Amino acid sequence: MSVAIRKPSREESLPHEAGGIAYARRHGRGAQTNRSGRFEARTYEPVDDGWESLGDLEALRTEVQEVPARRIITKNDSPDIGFDRSINPYRGCEHGCVYCFARPTHAFLGMSPGLDFETKLFAKTNAAQALERELAAPGYEPRMIAIGSNTDPYQPVERRYRIMRRILEVLSETNHPVGIVTKSALVLRDLDILQSMAERGLVKVALSVTTLDRQLARTMEPRASTPDKRLEAVETLSNAGIPTSVMVAPVVPGLTDAEIERILERASAAGAREAGYILLRLPLEIGDLFVEWLRANCPDRADRVLSLMRQTRGGKLYDSEWHSRMEGDGPYAWMIGRRFQMAAERLGLDKRHKLRTDLFTPPTLPGQQLSLL
């Protein structure tokens, strides 16, 4: 089943006061608008000076600011997340997934969670050095570090910055376990390191597959790898002996939920060992961004999708309640979960692969005394 995507005209946009930008300028991007962040005291609107100058503006370009990170490991104590630490090599993400739950973090930078999030990026170029310092700290206890739980470590700018590869080199040298989630086939660039770590039980990789519909994926996740490329990456990783899984995430009721079984079947055929899913989450500004995208690109389905979302969130578009926020609540959410569970069990994707922590060897920093034991 394919979804009919509406093609906007080059001049089309939402009103300027809503942060709207003409389609020709934001072509290849996910968000429709660029409203000011929620912490800003002022909002800014583009105003035509009478010479139709707004039509002369260039297409939005990706800008990257290099920033040093004081610390790179982020801790969390969320009771419904299976890890307590993560690394984010970048802030913002060029993949431009319209539903990305990391978008609101750009508001803390005085920027828009809309188009700013996918065009104004921050690269933590000293991430590997910061990681070495933190792993060398006295009393550090190793547990799996999650990478890709916020923004994608293999987004397009990683080709140039190679921050993720340098992080993996540190983790491999110290025998530290890592779990990676990505929507990019660029992960195959680091196959040599991943294969070496897999031989020691230190790594697992998950590819996120939202839909198998190329047109829908291109519109909803404009700069991520195609669904087929992601599944090809699963196969390559699996053939190399790397524990690989697929995340059916997010599941969008009324838009992508019909594909759950087919995605899992394709993942199993490609060699995936496990799978997971997350129901679409729309916290803070993402609610408006997703509704704008939905009405602009899938107008015939918009009301149905929003109605089903509310049925899974107690009448709201989102409920941040622990545990239920990932899977939703109500009959429709239960049906999605049960369908996923039955398909995963049938295909043998319901197992969980544990990583080793007993091999960890803290790095020795320059000038640091070596252990006598």
Side-chain angles (χ1 to χ4, degrees), residues 21 24-29 34 56-65 94 115-121 157 160 223:
I21 292 179
R25 291 195 64 212
R26 55 178 169 80
H27 179 63
R29 305 293 180 176
N34 206 36
D56 297 331
L57 295 175
E58 295 183 351
L60 295 174
R61 297 178 181 270
T62 300
E63 303 173 9
V64 183
Q65 181 176 338
E94 196 177 7
L115 289 163
D116 279 350
F117 176 80
E118 51 194 286
T119 60
K120 296 181 179 180
L121 314 180
V157 294
R160 172 159 54 110
R223 301 199 176 196

Side-chain angles (χ1 to χ4, degrees), residues 50-168:
W51 297 100
E52 299 182 354
S53 55
L54 293 180
D56 297 331
L57 295 175
E58 295 183 351
L60 295 174
R61 297 178 181 270
T62 300
E63 303 173 9
V64 183
Q65 181 176 338
E66 299 178 5
V67 294
R70 291 191 297 273
R71 297 187 62 83
I72 197 64
I73 299 178
T74 301
K75 298 289 185 69
N76 83 81
D77 57 1
S78 302
D80 56 356
I81 295 179
F83 55 87
D84 70 347
R85 63 198 68 184
S86 62
I87 291 176
N88 295 297
Y90 300 94
R91 297 191 71 162
C93 186
E94 196 177 7
H95 279 164
C97 304
V98 69
Y99 51 72
C100 180
F101 63 81
R103 283 182 176 272
T105 61
H106 246 46
F108 291 105
L109 305 175
M111 296 182 179
S112 172
L115 289 163
D116 279 350
F117 176 80
E118 51 194 286
T119 60
K120 296 181 179 180
L121 314 180
F122 297 82
K124 303 174 185 178
T125 49
N126 69 331
Q129 292 89 341
L131 177 60
E132 279 190 310
R133 290 197 305 270
E134 293 176 52
L135 296 184
Y140 176 82
E141 296 184 6
R143 293 183 185 176
M144 186 195 76
I145 291 177
I147 307 182
S149 59
N150 198 339
T151 57
D152 201 311
Y154 287 106
Q155 59 181 286
V157 294
E158 169 64 14
R159 290 187 179 91
R160 172 159 54 110
Y161 283 96
R162 301 173 69 86
I163 299 173
M164 180 60 177
R165 183 171 178 87
R166 292 198 295 273
I167 288 173
L168 286 178

Side-chain angles (χ1 to χ4, degrees), residues 294-306:
L294 188 62
R295 295 202 180 282
N297 295 281
C298 307
D300 59 326
R301 292 186 178 227
D303 289 340
R304 173 66 172 162
V305 171
L306 295 176

Side-chain angles (χ1 to χ4, degrees), residues 45 58 67 88 102 121 127 170 203 208 252 336 350:
E45 302 174 16
E58 295 183 351
V67 294
N88 295 297
L121 314 180
V170 172
V203 68
S208 177
V252 184
I336 288 174
D350 56 334

Side-chain angles (χ1 to χ4, degrees), residues 230-245:
R230 297 180 219 177
L231 289 167
E232 288 174 12
V234 169
E235 185 171 18
T236 301
L237 291 165
S238 180
N239 289 341
I242 299 161
T244 311
S245 63

Side-chain angles (χ1 to χ4, degrees), residues 159-283:
R159 290 187 179 91
R160 172 159 54 110
Y161 283 96
R162 301 173 69 86
I163 299 173
M164 180 60 177
R165 183 171 178 87
R166 292 198 295 273
I167 288 173
L168 286 178
E169 289 171 345
V170 172
L171 295 175
S172 180
E173 289 169 2
T174 57
N175 292 311
H176 195 292
V178 60
I180 301 167
V181 180
T182 182
K183 288 186 174 72
S184 176
L186 181 59
V187 65
L188 297 180
R189 180 202 62 191
D190 297 332
L191 191 63
D192 57 333
I193 301 177
L194 297 174
Q195 190 169 25
S196 172
M197 294 184 73
E199 291 171 353
R200 290 169 277 158
L202 297 173
V203 68
K204 57 182 178 179
V205 180
L207 274 292
S208 177
V209 180
T210 313
T211 177
L212 298 174
D213 185 327
R214 286 173 58 94
Q215 187 178 19
L216 177 59
R218 181 64 183 271
T219 308
M220 189 163 54
E221 309 159 338
R223 301 199 176 196
S225 295
T226 65
D228 285 343
K229 284 294 184 182
R230 297 180 219 177
L231 289 167
E232 288 174 12
V234 169
E235 185 171 18
T236 301
L237 291 165
S238 180
N239 289 341
I242 299 161
T244 311
S245 63
V246 163
M247 289 296 298
V248 187
V251 175
V252 184
L255 195 64
T256 68
D257 57 324
E259 300 185 68
I260 291 173
E261 290 83 359
R262 287 194 296 132
I263 292 173
L264 292 179
E265 288 165 1
R266 290 280 303 275
S268 177
R273 300 187 189 181
E274 59 183 87
Y277 85 98
I278 298 175
L279 190 68
L280 177 65
R281 297 169 54 194
L282 299 175

